Amino acid sequence: MSRIKEIENRLVHAKYKLTTPRRLIMEILLENEGEHLTAEDIHNRLRDKGYQVGLATVYRTLELFCELGILARLNFEDASSYYELEENDQHHHHLICLSCSKIIEFSDELLEDFMESIEKKYGFEVTDHKIKYLGYCSDCSN
Amino acid sequence: MSRIKEIENRLVHAKYKLTTPRRLIMEILLENEGEHLTAEDIHNRLRDKGYQVGLATVYRTLELFCELGILARLNFEDASSYYELEENDQHHHHLICLSCSKIIEFSDELLEDFMESIEKKYGFEVTDHKIKYLGYCSDCSN
DNA sequence: GGATTAATGAATTCCATTATCACTTGAAAA
DNA sequence: TTTTCAAGTGATAATGGAATTCATTAATCC
Ligand SMILES: [Mn+2]
Ligand SMILES: [Mn+2]
Ligand SMILES: [Zn+2]
Ligand SMILES: [Zn+2]
């Protein structure tokens, strides 16, 4: 099943429609998979491709996609929110270089045990987690 | 050495003065240790105690204290920044309940090994890390 | 068709934070 | 002690990302 079709199924299942703006936004996200985009990034890329979608719609759509688990909203150390496709298989986290702002991704397999111990210790049902390591990348630590 | 005196030493060492506004802000933070306060929280508490300190000064002071490692700036899932005294001994993290917004703190001793493996794998010099577990607290998961 | 509801987008508003700038403070120099 | 002057302050305005409003449009259901 195509990626777009899979998204449409999820929308329809949650009683939403795959409208043209939503499809266009999803296409931008798919075309730029691996990047971390802001709402304005997406709005600009749509405009560059000749599509006119309101910025409010971009925000609303990104929020909707987050609620449906299609997207993840990321907050690095600046004011903006960044979005990326949520790959249901390999959840990952980010190393943020304080010098050049480079973002390096890493998976969190090793953290499983730690998370479980947290759940037991505090009776807290963990549904999501956000881990950020700040520091200096190999290019900048010399 | 008193807590305030220790802070003053740090300021002076970095060529800053412990001015009246800075001392008042620090007193609020000390009086509310353990809480997570916004700039406006602090501004309001100062006003309630009869002290008039400009909101801009509160922001500037909080930023300065963060730079000096006196405070930690926390970002939960809303728009504001929260501040708490940085206890140089026991670094901790936060469990955030998605239902009642309760914040539960936990230490990160168990994460040491994982952090080291990250440093080796990516040649990334970790100087700080921020971990957030989201989910449902024991009161809300029933 | 007509009625109802969802979705859109331009514009406006919100709101936390930052910038501006005239004024104040206080420590060092004269 | 007076003068000097950089550091610090605070009222206010500006900023910018995000949310809201509301009239319009599109889709859906009798
Ligand atoms: Mn990523
Ligand atoms: Mn805390
Ligand atoms: Zn770097
Ligand atoms: Zn709760």
PDB file of all heavy atoms in Angstrom, chain B residues 73-108:
ATOM      1  N   ARG B  73      16.628  25.686  32.589  1.00  0.00           N
ATOM      2  CA  ARG B  73      15.408  26.064  31.873  1.00  0.00           C
ATOM      3  C   ARG B  73      14.746  24.792  31.364  1.00  0.00           C
ATOM      4  O   ARG B  73      15.374  23.977  30.694  1.00  0.00           O
ATOM      5  CB  ARG B  73      15.750  26.973  30.696  1.00  0.00           C
ATOM      6  CG  ARG B  73      14.549  27.270  29.795  1.00  0.00           C
ATOM      7  CD  ARG B  73      14.952  27.976  28.512  1.00  0.00           C
ATOM      8  NE  ARG B  73      15.099  29.398  28.719  1.00  0.00           N
ATOM      9  CZ  ARG B  73      16.247  30.064  28.712  1.00  0.00           C
ATOM     10  NH1 ARG B  73      17.373  29.414  28.488  1.00  0.00           N
ATOM     11  NH2 ARG B  73      16.291  31.355  28.910  1.00  0.00           N
ATOM     12  N   LEU B  74      13.483  24.648  31.695  1.00  0.00           N
ATOM     13  CA  LEU B  74      12.755  23.440  31.310  1.00  0.00           C
ATOM     14  C   LEU B  74      11.647  23.782  30.334  1.00  0.00           C
ATOM     15  O   LEU B  74      10.987  24.800  30.472  1.00  0.00           O
ATOM     16  CB  LEU B  74      12.136  22.792  32.547  1.00  0.00           C
ATOM     17  CG  LEU B  74      13.059  22.566  33.741  1.00  0.00           C
ATOM     18  CD1 LEU B  74      12.266  22.049  34.921  1.00  0.00           C
ATOM     19  CD2 LEU B  74      14.178  21.618  33.379  1.00  0.00           C
ATOM     20  N   ASN B  75      11.453  22.926  29.363  1.00  0.00           N
ATOM     21  CA  ASN B  75      10.342  23.091  28.446  1.00  0.00           C
ATOM     22  C   ASN B  75       9.469  21.858  28.507  1.00  0.00           C
ATOM     23  O   ASN B  75       9.885  20.777  28.109  1.00  0.00           O
ATOM     24  CB  ASN B  75      10.849  23.341  27.018  1.00  0.00           C
ATOM     25  CG  ASN B  75      11.463  24.723  26.881  1.00  0.00           C
ATOM     26  OD1 ASN B  75      12.673  24.866  26.771  1.00  0.00           O
ATOM     27  ND2 ASN B  75      10.622  25.729  26.920  1.00  0.00           N
ATOM     28  N   PHE B  76       8.288  22.049  29.051  1.00  0.00           N
ATOM     29  CA  PHE B  76       7.343  20.956  29.059  1.00  0.00           C
ATOM     30  C   PHE B  76       6.538  21.037  27.768  1.00  0.00           C
ATOM     31  O   PHE B  76       7.021  21.527  26.766  1.00  0.00           O
ATOM     32  CB  PHE B  76       6.486  21.017  30.336  1.00  0.00           C
ATOM     33  CG  PHE B  76       7.311  20.933  31.594  1.00  0.00           C
ATOM     34  CD1 PHE B  76       7.049  21.733  32.689  1.00  0.00           C
ATOM     35  CD2 PHE B  76       8.389  20.056  31.662  1.00  0.00           C
ATOM     36  CE1 PHE B  76       7.823  21.649  33.848  1.00  0.00           C
ATOM     37  CE2 PHE B  76       9.175  19.965  32.804  1.00  0.00           C
ATOM     38  CZ  PHE B  76       8.887  20.762  33.896  1.00  0.00           C
ATOM     39  N   GLU B  77       5.336  20.599  27.752  1.00  0.00           N
ATOM     40  CA  GLU B  77       4.628  20.523  26.470  1.00  0.00           C
ATOM     41  C   GLU B  77       3.790  21.766  26.167  1.00  0.00           C
ATOM     42  O   GLU B  77       2.947  21.751  25.281  1.00  0.00           O
ATOM     43  CB  GLU B  77       3.756  19.269  26.428  1.00  0.00           C
ATOM     44  CG  GLU B  77       4.547  17.971  26.512  1.00  0.00           C
ATOM     45  CD  GLU B  77       5.544  17.810  25.389  1.00  0.00           C
ATOM     46  OE1 GLU B  77       5.133  17.571  24.247  1.00  0.00           O
ATOM     47  OE2 GLU B  77       6.761  17.947  25.650  1.00  0.00           O
ATOM     48  N   ASP B  78       4.000  22.849  26.889  1.00  0.00           N
ATOM     49  CA  ASP B  78       3.280  24.081  26.576  1.00  0.00           C
ATOM     50  C   ASP B  78       4.249  25.146  26.085  1.00  0.00           C
ATOM     51  O   ASP B  78       5.419  24.869  25.842  1.00  0.00           O
ATOM     52  CB  ASP B  78       2.477  24.569  27.791  1.00  0.00           C
ATOM     53  CG  ASP B  78       3.376  24.881  28.970  1.00  0.00           C
ATOM     54  OD1 ASP B  78       4.611  24.741  28.839  1.00  0.00           O
ATOM     55  OD2 ASP B  78       2.845  25.262  30.030  1.00  0.00           O
ATOM     56  N   ALA B  79       3.760  26.370  25.946  1.00  0.00           N
ATOM     57  CA  ALA B  79       4.535  27.420  25.290  1.00  0.00           C
ATOM     58  C   ALA B  79       5.589  28.056  26.196  1.00  0.00           C
ATOM     59  O   ALA B  79       6.554  28.629  25.710  1.00  0.00           O
ATOM     60  CB  ALA B  79       3.588  28.502  24.761  1.00  0.00           C
ATOM     61  N   SER B  80       5.410  27.949  27.500  1.00  0.00           N
ATOM     62  CA  SER B  80       6.284  28.678  28.424  1.00  0.00           C
ATOM     63  C   SER B  80       7.553  27.908  28.773  1.00  0.00           C
ATOM     64  O   SER B  80       7.614  26.691  28.658  1.00  0.00           O
ATOM     65  CB  SER B  80       5.529  28.972  29.719  1.00  0.00           C
ATOM     66  OG  SER B  80       4.396  29.760  29.450  1.00  0.00           O
ATOM     67  N   SER B  81       8.544  28.667  29.240  1.00  0.00           N
ATOM     68  CA  SER B  81       9.730  28.066  29.827  1.00  0.00           C
ATOM     69  C   SER B  81       9.589  28.070  31.337  1.00  0.00           C
ATOM     70  O   SER B  81       9.064  29.029  31.914  1.00  0.00           O
ATOM     71  CB  SER B  81      10.980  28.854  29.425  1.00  0.00           C
ATOM     72  OG  SER B  81      11.280  28.656  28.070  1.00  0.00           O
ATOM     73  N   TYR B  82      10.054  27.007  31.960  1.00  0.00           N
ATOM     74  CA  TYR B  82      10.012  26.897  33.410  1.00  0.00           C
ATOM     75  C   TYR B  82      11.440  26.832  33.919  1.00  0.00           C
ATOM     76  O   TYR B  82      12.329  26.310  33.242  1.00  0.00           O
ATOM     77  CB  TYR B  82       9.235  25.647  33.831  1.00  0.00           C
ATOM     78  CG  TYR B  82       7.777  25.715  33.458  1.00  0.00           C
ATOM     79  CD1 TYR B  82       7.349  25.407  32.175  1.00  0.00           C
ATOM     80  CD2 TYR B  82       6.827  26.132  34.384  1.00  0.00           C
ATOM     81  CE1 TYR B  82       6.009  25.495  31.816  1.00  0.00           C
ATOM     82  CE2 TYR B  82       5.488  26.218  34.035  1.00  0.00           C
ATOM     83  CZ  TYR B  82       5.093  25.900  32.749  1.00  0.00           C
ATOM     84  OH  TYR B  82       3.777  25.989  32.406  1.00  0.00           O
ATOM     85  N   TYR B  83      11.623  27.376  35.129  1.00  0.00           N
ATOM     86  CA  TYR B  83      12.968  27.429  35.692  1.00  0.00           C
ATOM     87  C   TYR B  83      13.000  26.735  37.038  1.00  0.00           C
ATOM     88  O   TYR B  83      12.044  26.786  37.808  1.00  0.00           O
ATOM     89  CB  TYR B  83      13.405  28.889  35.835  1.00  0.00           C
ATOM     90  CG  TYR B  83      13.460  29.624  34.517  1.00  0.00           C
ATOM     91  CD1 TYR B  83      12.320  30.198  33.965  1.00  0.00           C
ATOM     92  CD2 TYR B  83      14.650  29.702  33.800  1.00  0.00           C
ATOM     93  CE1 TYR B  83      12.362  30.844  32.746  1.00  0.00           C
ATOM     94  CE2 TYR B  83      14.705  30.346  32.577  1.00  0.00           C
ATOM     95  CZ  TYR B  83      13.555  30.915  32.051  1.00  0.00           C
ATOM     96  OH  TYR B  83      13.597  31.552  30.840  1.00  0.00           O
ATOM     97  N   GLU B  84      14.132  26.129  37.325  1.00  0.00           N
ATOM     98  CA  GLU B  84      14.333  25.524  38.644  1.00  0.00           C
ATOM     99  C   GLU B  84      15.803  25.609  38.983  1.00  0.00           C
ATOM    100  O   GLU B  84      16.663  25.648  38.102  1.00  0.00           O
ATOM    101  CB  GLU B  84      13.856  24.075  38.671  1.00  0.00           C
ATOM    102  CG  GLU B  84      14.703  23.143  37.837  1.00  0.00           C
ATOM    103  CD  GLU B  84      14.223  21.693  37.882  1.00  0.00           C
ATOM    104  OE1 GLU B  84      13.216  21.404  38.539  1.00  0.00           O
ATOM    105  OE2 GLU B  84      14.876  20.853  37.235  1.00  0.00           O
ATOM    106  N   LEU B  85      16.104  25.676  40.272  1.00  0.00           N
ATOM    107  CA  LEU B  85      17.482  25.711  40.727  1.00  0.00           C
ATOM    108  C   LEU B  85      18.190  24.441  40.290  1.00  0.00           C
ATOM    109  O   LEU B  85      17.648  23.337  40.415  1.00  0.00           O
ATOM    110  CB  LEU B  85      17.522  25.856  42.249  1.00  0.00           C
ATOM    111  CG  LEU B  85      17.171  27.258  42.759  1.00  0.00           C
ATOM    112  CD1 LEU B  85      16.939  27.235  44.267  1.00  0.00           C
ATOM    113  CD2 LEU B  85      18.279  28.245  42.421  1.00  0.00           C
ATOM    114  N   GLU B  86      19.380  24.614  39.794  1.00  0.00           N
ATOM    115  CA  GLU B  86      20.177  23.475  39.355  1.00  0.00           C
ATOM    116  C   GLU B  86      20.941  22.938  40.557  1.00  0.00           C
ATOM    117  O   GLU B  86      21.858  23.580  41.054  1.00  0.00           O
ATOM    118  CB  GLU B  86      21.152  23.935  38.269  1.00  0.00           C
ATOM    119  CG  GLU B  86      21.981  22.848  37.646  1.00  0.00           C
ATOM    120  CD  GLU B  86      21.227  22.121  36.548  1.00  0.00           C
ATOM    121  OE1 GLU B  86      21.001  22.720  35.482  1.00  0.00           O
ATOM    122  OE2 GLU B  86      20.876  20.946  36.776  1.00  0.00           O
ATOM    123  N   GLU B  87      20.504  21.794  41.049  1.00  0.00           N
ATOM    124  CA  GLU B  87      21.243  21.186  42.155  1.00  0.00           C
ATOM    125  C   GLU B  87      22.419  20.436  41.556  1.00  0.00           C
ATOM    126  O   GLU B  87      22.221  19.462  40.839  1.00  0.00           O
ATOM    127  CB  GLU B  87      20.336  20.220  42.918  1.00  0.00           C
ATOM    128  CG  GLU B  87      19.062  20.881  43.420  1.00  0.00           C
ATOM    129  CD  GLU B  87      17.895  19.913  43.430  1.00  0.00           C
ATOM    130  OE1 GLU B  87      17.909  19.008  44.258  1.00  0.00           O
ATOM    131  OE2 GLU B  87      16.996  20.064  42.584  1.00  0.00           O
ATOM    132  N   ASN B  88      23.617  20.898  41.854  1.00  0.00           N
ATOM    133  CA  ASN B  88      24.794  20.329  41.191  1.00  0.00           C
ATOM    134  C   ASN B  88      25.012  18.851  41.507  1.00  0.00           C
ATOM    135  O   ASN B  88      25.764  18.180  40.833  1.00  0.00           O
ATOM    136  CB  ASN B  88      26.060  21.130  41.537  1.00  0.00           C
ATOM    137  CG  ASN B  88      25.972  21.736  42.916  1.00  0.00           C
ATOM    138  OD1 ASN B  88      25.131  21.324  43.733  1.00  0.00           O
ATOM    139  ND2 ASN B  88      26.819  22.699  43.200  1.00  0.00           N
ATOM    140  N   ASP B  89      24.307  18.334  42.514  1.00  0.00           N
ATOM    141  CA  ASP B  89      24.511  16.931  42.837  1.00  0.00           C
ATOM    142  C   ASP B  89      23.554  16.011  42.079  1.00  0.00           C
ATOM    143  O   ASP B  89      23.971  15.178  41.299  1.00  0.00           O
ATOM    144  CB  ASP B  89      24.388  16.711  44.352  1.00  0.00           C
ATOM    145  CG  ASP B  89      23.253  17.537  44.958  1.00  0.00           C
ATOM    146  OD1 ASP B  89      22.759  18.447  44.273  1.00  0.00           O
ATOM    147  OD2 ASP B  89      22.863  17.267  46.100  1.00  0.00           O
ATOM    148  N   GLN B  90      22.260  16.220  42.285  1.00  0.00           N
ATOM    149  CA  GLN B  90      21.324  15.252  41.729  1.00  0.00           C
ATOM    150  C   GLN B  90      20.520  15.790  40.536  1.00  0.00           C
ATOM    151  O   GLN B  90      19.455  16.342  40.697  1.00  0.00           O
ATOM    152  CB  GLN B  90      20.362  14.738  42.811  1.00  0.00           C
ATOM    153  CG  GLN B  90      19.563  15.814  43.518  1.00  0.00           C
ATOM    154  CD  GLN B  90      19.850  15.847  44.993  1.00  0.00           C
ATOM    155  OE1 GLN B  90      20.945  15.492  45.422  1.00  0.00           O
ATOM    156  NE2 GLN B  90      18.892  16.291  45.773  1.00  0.00           N
ATOM    157  N   HIS B  91      21.076  15.603  39.373  1.00  0.00           N
ATOM    158  CA  HIS B  91      20.405  15.936  38.131  1.00  0.00           C
ATOM    159  C   HIS B  91      19.136  15.083  38.022  1.00  0.00           C
ATOM    160  O   HIS B  91      19.169  13.895  38.272  1.00  0.00           O
ATOM    161  CB  HIS B  91      21.354  15.627  36.978  1.00  0.00           C
ATOM    162  CG  HIS B  91      20.913  16.178  35.674  1.00  0.00           C
ATOM    163  ND1 HIS B  91      21.671  16.077  34.535  1.00  0.00           N
ATOM    164  CD2 HIS B  91      19.804  16.847  35.315  1.00  0.00           C
ATOM    165  CE1 HIS B  91      21.034  16.643  33.532  1.00  0.00           C
ATOM    166  NE2 HIS B  91      19.897  17.118  33.971  1.00  0.00           N
ATOM    167  N   HIS B  92      18.020  15.710  37.658  1.00  0.00           N
ATOM    168  CA  HIS B  92      16.801  14.916  37.544  1.00  0.00           C
ATOM    169  C   HIS B  92      16.015  15.254  36.283  1.00  0.00           C
ATOM    170  O   HIS B  92      16.287  16.230  35.602  1.00  0.00           O
ATOM    171  CB  HIS B  92      15.924  15.090  38.786  1.00  0.00           C
ATOM    172  CG  HIS B  92      15.304  16.444  38.895  1.00  0.00           C
ATOM    173  ND1 HIS B  92      15.847  17.454  39.639  1.00  0.00           N
ATOM    174  CD2 HIS B  92      14.182  16.968  38.347  1.00  0.00           C
ATOM    175  CE1 HIS B  92      15.095  18.536  39.540  1.00  0.00           C
ATOM    176  NE2 HIS B  92      14.076  18.266  38.758  1.00  0.00           N
ATOM    177  N   HIS B  93      15.032  14.415  35.999  1.00  0.00           N
ATOM    178  CA  HIS B  93      14.217  14.572  34.808  1.00  0.00           C
ATOM    179  C   HIS B  93      12.752  14.502  35.185  1.00  0.00           C
ATOM    180  O   HIS B  93      12.433  14.407  36.366  1.00  0.00           O
ATOM    181  CB  HIS B  93      14.592  13.514  33.780  1.00  0.00           C
ATOM    182  CG  HIS B  93      16.029  13.599  33.418  1.00  0.00           C
ATOM    183  ND1 HIS B  93      16.517  14.569  32.597  1.00  0.00           N
ATOM    184  CD2 HIS B  93      17.089  12.887  33.844  1.00  0.00           C
ATOM    185  CE1 HIS B  93      17.812  14.434  32.494  1.00  0.00           C
ATOM    186  NE2 HIS B  93      18.202  13.427  33.248  1.00  0.00           N
ATOM    187  N   HIS B  94      11.884  14.544  34.180  1.00  0.00           N
ATOM    188  CA  HIS B  94      10.476  14.746  34.493  1.00  0.00           C
ATOM    189  C   HIS B  94       9.540  13.776  33.782  1.00  0.00           C
ATOM    190  O   HIS B  94       9.688  13.534  32.586  1.00  0.00           O
ATOM    191  CB  HIS B  94      10.082  16.189  34.150  1.00  0.00           C
ATOM    192  CG  HIS B  94      10.893  17.198  34.910  1.00  0.00           C
ATOM    193  ND1 HIS B  94      12.057  17.728  34.409  1.00  0.00           N
ATOM    194  CD2 HIS B  94      10.734  17.733  36.150  1.00  0.00           C
ATOM    195  CE1 HIS B  94      12.567  18.556  35.304  1.00  0.00           C
ATOM    196  NE2 HIS B  94      11.796  18.585  36.372  1.00  0.00           N
ATOM    197  N   LEU B  95       8.606  13.271  34.545  1.00  0.00           N
ATOM    198  CA  LEU B  95       7.488  12.510  33.995  1.00  0.00           C
ATOM    199  C   LEU B  95       6.329  13.492  33.891  1.00  0.00           C
ATOM    200  O   LEU B  95       6.005  14.177  34.862  1.00  0.00           O
ATOM    201  CB  LEU B  95       7.094  11.364  34.937  1.00  0.00           C
ATOM    202  CG  LEU B  95       8.195  10.390  35.356  1.00  0.00           C
ATOM    203  CD1 LEU B  95       7.642   9.381  36.371  1.00  0.00           C
ATOM    204  CD2 LEU B  95       8.737   9.647  34.145  1.00  0.00           C
ATOM    205  N   ILE B  96       5.733  13.591  32.730  1.00  0.00           N
ATOM    206  CA  ILE B  96       4.680  14.573  32.497  1.00  0.00           C
ATOM    207  C   ILE B  96       3.377  13.843  32.211  1.00  0.00           C
ATOM    208  O   ILE B  96       3.274  13.122  31.215  1.00  0.00           O
ATOM    209  CB  ILE B  96       5.024  15.466  31.289  1.00  0.00           C
ATOM    210  CG1 ILE B  96       6.391  16.123  31.511  1.00  0.00           C
ATOM    211  CG2 ILE B  96       3.931  16.503  31.060  1.00  0.00           C
ATOM    212  CD1 ILE B  96       6.954  16.774  30.256  1.00  0.00           C
ATOM    213  N   CYS B  97       2.386  14.034  33.077  1.00  0.00           N
ATOM    214  CA  CYS B  97       1.106  13.360  32.847  1.00  0.00           C
ATOM    215  C   CYS B  97       0.295  14.114  31.805  1.00  0.00           C
ATOM    216  O   CYS B  97       0.044  15.305  31.942  1.00  0.00           O
ATOM    217  CB  CYS B  97       0.297  13.228  34.135  1.00  0.00           C
ATOM    218  SG  CYS B  97      -1.283  12.382  33.839  1.00  0.00           S
ATOM    219  N   LEU B  98      -0.074  13.397  30.743  1.00  0.00           N
ATOM    220  CA  LEU B  98      -0.812  14.011  29.644  1.00  0.00           C
ATOM    221  C   LEU B  98      -2.242  14.311  30.035  1.00  0.00           C
ATOM    222  O   LEU B  98      -2.951  15.036  29.341  1.00  0.00           O
ATOM    223  CB  LEU B  98      -0.799  13.084  28.427  1.00  0.00           C
ATOM    224  CG  LEU B  98       0.581  12.841  27.823  1.00  0.00           C
ATOM    225  CD1 LEU B  98       0.509  11.758  26.759  1.00  0.00           C
ATOM    226  CD2 LEU B  98       1.129  14.133  27.232  1.00  0.00           C
ATOM    227  N   SER B  99      -2.689  13.761  31.175  1.00  0.00           N
ATOM    228  CA  SER B  99      -4.069  13.972  31.585  1.00  0.00           C
ATOM    229  C   SER B  99      -4.192  15.132  32.561  1.00  0.00           C
ATOM    230  O   SER B  99      -4.944  16.069  32.328  1.00  0.00           O
ATOM    231  CB  SER B  99      -4.602  12.685  32.210  1.00  0.00           C
ATOM    232  OG  SER B  99      -5.897  12.874  32.711  1.00  0.00           O
ATOM    233  N   CYS B 100      -3.416  15.122  33.652  1.00  0.00           N
ATOM    234  CA  CYS B 100      -3.569  16.169  34.671  1.00  0.00           C
ATOM    235  C   CYS B 100      -2.367  17.109  34.727  1.00  0.00           C
ATOM    236  O   CYS B 100      -2.324  18.009  35.557  1.00  0.00           O
ATOM    237  CB  CYS B 100      -3.798  15.544  36.039  1.00  0.00           C
ATOM    238  SG  CYS B 100      -2.359  14.707  36.746  1.00  0.00           S
ATOM    239  N   SER B 101      -1.380  16.901  33.839  1.00  0.00           N
ATOM    240  CA  SER B 101      -0.188  17.751  33.777  1.00  0.00           C
ATOM    241  C   SER B 101       0.692  17.682  35.014  1.00  0.00           C
ATOM    242  O   SER B 101       1.559  18.542  35.196  1.00  0.00           O
ATOM    243  CB  SER B 101      -0.574  19.203  33.498  1.00  0.00           C
ATOM    244  OG  SER B 101      -1.217  19.303  32.251  1.00  0.00           O
ATOM    245  N   LYS B 102       0.448  16.699  35.849  1.00  0.00           N
ATOM    246  CA  LYS B 102       1.328  16.530  37.012  1.00  0.00           C
ATOM    247  C   LYS B 102       2.754  16.269  36.542  1.00  0.00           C
ATOM    248  O   LYS B 102       2.987  15.624  35.520  1.00  0.00           O
ATOM    249  CB  LYS B 102       0.829  15.354  37.841  1.00  0.00           C
ATOM    250  CG  LYS B 102       1.556  15.184  39.162  1.00  0.00           C
ATOM    251  CD  LYS B 102       1.066  13.922  39.858  1.00  0.00           C
ATOM    252  CE  LYS B 102      -0.418  13.982  40.185  1.00  0.00           C
ATOM    253  NZ  LYS B 102      -1.007  12.671  40.487  1.00  0.00           N
ATOM    254  N   ILE B 103       3.708  16.824  37.288  1.00  0.00           N
ATOM    255  CA  ILE B 103       5.118  16.595  36.976  1.00  0.00           C
ATOM    256  C   ILE B 103       5.720  15.751  38.092  1.00  0.00           C
ATOM    257  O   ILE B 103       5.639  16.102  39.257  1.00  0.00           O
ATOM    258  CB  ILE B 103       5.885  17.922  36.885  1.00  0.00           C
ATOM    259  CG1 ILE B 103       5.222  18.891  35.893  1.00  0.00           C
ATOM    260  CG2 ILE B 103       7.340  17.673  36.534  1.00  0.00           C
ATOM    261  CD1 ILE B 103       5.418  18.548  34.456  1.00  0.00           C
ATOM    262  N   ILE B 104       6.304  14.639  37.725  1.00  0.00           N
ATOM    263  CA  ILE B 104       6.974  13.766  38.683  1.00  0.00           C
ATOM    264  C   ILE B 104       8.448  13.742  38.305  1.00  0.00           C
ATOM    265  O   ILE B 104       8.792  13.644  37.130  1.00  0.00           O
ATOM    266  CB  ILE B 104       6.388  12.336  38.619  1.00  0.00           C
ATOM    267  CG1 ILE B 104       4.883  12.363  38.932  1.00  0.00           C
ATOM    268  CG2 ILE B 104       7.137  11.405  39.560  1.00  0.00           C
ATOM    269  CD1 ILE B 104       4.171  11.067  38.589  1.00  0.00           C
ATOM    270  N   GLU B 105       9.299  13.862  39.319  1.00  0.00           N
ATOM    271  CA  GLU B 105      10.730  13.919  39.022  1.00  0.00           C
ATOM    272  C   GLU B 105      11.395  12.572  39.252  1.00  0.00           C
ATOM    273  O   GLU B 105      11.008  11.834  40.143  1.00  0.00           O
ATOM    274  CB  GLU B 105      11.379  14.992  39.896  1.00  0.00           C
ATOM    275  CG  GLU B 105      10.744  16.366  39.661  1.00  0.00           C
ATOM    276  CD  GLU B 105      11.363  17.452  40.521  1.00  0.00           C
ATOM    277  OE1 GLU B 105      11.835  17.133  41.622  1.00  0.00           O
ATOM    278  OE2 GLU B 105      11.370  18.609  40.080  1.00  0.00           O
ATOM    279  N   PHE B 106      12.402  12.300  38.450  1.00  0.00           N
ATOM    280  CA  PHE B 106      13.165  11.075  38.658  1.00  0.00           C
ATOM    281  C   PHE B 106      14.631  11.333  38.323  1.00  0.00           C
ATOM    282  O   PHE B 106      14.951  12.159  37.479  1.00  0.00           O
ATOM    283  CB  PHE B 106      12.609   9.918  37.822  1.00  0.00           C
ATOM    284  CG  PHE B 106      12.776  10.100  36.337  1.00  0.00           C
ATOM    285  CD1 PHE B 106      13.856   9.530  35.676  1.00  0.00           C
ATOM    286  CD2 PHE B 106      11.855  10.816  35.600  1.00  0.00           C
ATOM    287  CE1 PHE B 106      14.005   9.680  34.301  1.00  0.00           C
ATOM    288  CE2 PHE B 106      12.002  10.975  34.233  1.00  0.00           C
ATOM    289  CZ  PHE B 106      13.077  10.416  33.581  1.00  0.00           C
ATOM    290  N   SER B 107      15.506  10.606  39.006  1.00  0.00           N
ATOM    291  CA  SER B 107      16.940  10.790  38.750  1.00  0.00           C
ATOM    292  C   SER B 107      17.367   9.902  37.595  1.00  0.00           C
ATOM    293  O   SER B 107      16.627   9.020  37.168  1.00  0.00           O
ATOM    294  CB  SER B 107      17.743  10.451  39.997  1.00  0.00           C
ATOM    295  OG  SER B 107      17.721   9.062  40.202  1.00  0.00           O
ATOM    296  N   ASP B 108      18.531  10.135  37.104  1.00  0.00           N
ATOM    297  CA  ASP B 108      18.923   9.457  35.861  1.00  0.00           C
ATOM    298  C   ASP B 108      20.176   8.598  36.011  1.00  0.00           C
ATOM    299  O   ASP B 108      20.885   8.386  35.037  1.00  0.00           O
ATOM    300  CB  ASP B 108      19.131  10.491  34.779  1.00  0.00           C
ATOM    301  CG  ASP B 108      20.287  11.414  35.091  1.00  0.00           C
ATOM    302  OD1 ASP B 108      20.805  11.355  36.229  1.00  0.00           O
ATOM    303  OD2 ASP B 108      20.699  12.169  34.221  1.00  0.00           O
TER     304      ASP B 108
END
